[in-house]
Amino acid sequence: EGVVGFAPGQPIAGVHSGPCQTCPACRRGKLNLCQQLSEQLLIGAFAERLLVRPRVAAINIHPRPKGMSAVRAAFLEPVSCCVHTLRLLDFRGIDRVLVLGTGSMGLLFLQLLPFFSTASRVAAGRRAARLALARGYGLENVIDVEAAPLAERPELHQQFDMVIECTGRPEGWQEAIDATRPGGQVMLFGGLPKGSTFPVDTYRLHYEELRLIGSFHFSPADVKESLGYLSDDRLRVEEMIAGTRSLAGLEQSLLDMAEGKAIKFAIVP
């Protein structure tokens, strides 16, 4: 009762937050950095019923496109994070991009990049199953860092116009900078705990004009754009799903993912 724009039983796709649109960050157009973002977060997706807060429902819940499965629609949040990141980058003059890390986010970036640029793509990561998926994306190269870490591959140092870091490790941040050529861009996507620090070669940052960029969350515009990408068959998100399990298998699924045995599972009660 009182909900506008939706009918009972209508399939939807959405994300878990909605900006207030009134705080200083929102007024500056930085809706992803809304200072009240946590006030109406959509928490509890494994419950039988889920109450969607008004702000989220009004801004970031959409009718699910016809033919899109619930499993595919569940990728809207991570895809929105990637799209927000890619919209922050400047692809002018970019010929070669390295995606560092082949977890779910790295694999999404590798698939979404062709929507933004014709640049050659290279992946660097670990675990055979993830590298096998990356090899199916038409990349220039897929590098197994377990066989030879990037730090031990001098031929890859300063070879990329852009590096998207998806490891979430300080070492990964450093490797991303080392792999970027003068004048290049480094997207530090993998978040680290508050208070974490890492050293930066000030000579390279200043005299080689490296551009270091952070990215967090997404805006409502990113969510709408991402729903369009999810409607495109070129985005092969289902390949990341190791299997479908019931709610009773949730705990084991989380343990399996933490141990690197799978990238994702679909939980279908």
Side-chain angles (χ1 to χ4, degrees):
E1 184 178 350
V3 175
V4 178
F6 298 97
Q10 181 177 359
I12 61 171
V15 294
H16 65 297
S17 68
C20 71
Q21 303 184 85
T22 60
C23 72
C26 285
R27 291 199 302 270
R28 296 196 310 272
K30 299 292 185 181
L31 278 71
N32 62 302
L33 301 179
C34 172
Q35 296 167 338
Q36 300 178 40
L37 206 60
S38 62
E39 291 184 358
Q40 292 198 15
L41 284 181
L42 184 56
I43 302 297
F46 296 117
E48 183 175 356
R49 293 178 181 271
L50 181 62
L51 177 63
V52 181
R53 306 299 294 274
R55 206 162 69 204
V56 181
I59 299 172
N60 275 336
I61 301 296
H62 302 279
R64 193 189 311 161
K66 187 176 181 179
M68 181 182 292
S69 69
V71 170
R72 189 171 182 88
F75 279 86
L76 183 57
E77 190 273 343
V79 171
S80 297
C81 290
C82 292
V83 167
H84 175 75
T85 297
L86 292 168
R87 291 176 67 178
L88 291 175
L89 293 164
D90 183 355
F91 286 97
R92 293 175 297 180
I94 300 298
D95 296 319
R96 202 164 183 239
V97 180
L98 171 66
V99 174
L100 183 55
T102 50
S104 60
M105 303 309 288
L107 293 172
L108 285 175
F109 275 120
L110 288 166
Q111 294 186 71
L112 286 164
L113 273 164
F115 291 100
F116 291 79
S117 171
T118 59
S120 175
R121 295 161 294 152
V122 175
R126 61 186 73 240
R127 298 198 172 105
R130 301 180 182 194
L131 298 177
L133 286 177
R135 291 189 182 98
Y137 300 155
L139 309 184
E140 172 194 330
N141 193 13
V142 176
I143 301 165
D144 185 348
V145 298
E146 289 183 316
L150 288 188
E152 299 175 8
R153 302 279 296 270
E155 72 275 12
L156 297 175
H157 289 187
Q158 300 188 31
Q159 292 299 307
F160 299 91
D161 304 300
M162 179 184 290
V163 179
I164 301 176
E165 184 282 328
C166 299
T167 70
R169 300 180 299 110
E171 298 86 354
W173 284 37
Q174 189 63 60
E175 290 169 348
I177 293 173
D178 292 343
T180 306
R181 60 171 53 123
Q185 300 172 66
V186 185
M187 172 51 73
L188 301 168
F189 178 82
L192 301 175
K194 187 175 182 178
S196 302
T197 61
F198 79 109
V200 177
D201 185 332
T202 57
Y203 180 92
R204 295 209 65 211
L205 185 62
H206 179 77
Y207 292 100
E208 296 184 1
E209 290 191 343
L210 293 185
R211 183 183 175 203
L212 308 187
I213 314 164
S215 176
F216 172 71
H217 211 56
F218 43 76
S219 70
D222 300 319
V223 176
K224 290 180 180 179
E225 185 173 338
S226 299
L227 199 55
Y229 293 130
L230 276 171
S231 300
D232 192 313
D233 292 338
R234 287 175 292 176
L235 195 59
R236 293 149 45 187
V237 295
E238 288 88 353
E239 293 180 357
M240 300 184 201
I241 300 173
T244 299
R245 292 179 175 176
S246 69
L247 196 59
L250 172 60
E251 182 178 1
Q252 187 60 51
S253 299
L254 295 173
L255 291 171
D256 287 345
M257 288 188 291
E259 295 174 7
K261 295 179 180 179
I263 300 173
K264 288 184 179 293
F265 289 98
I267 304 298
V268 179

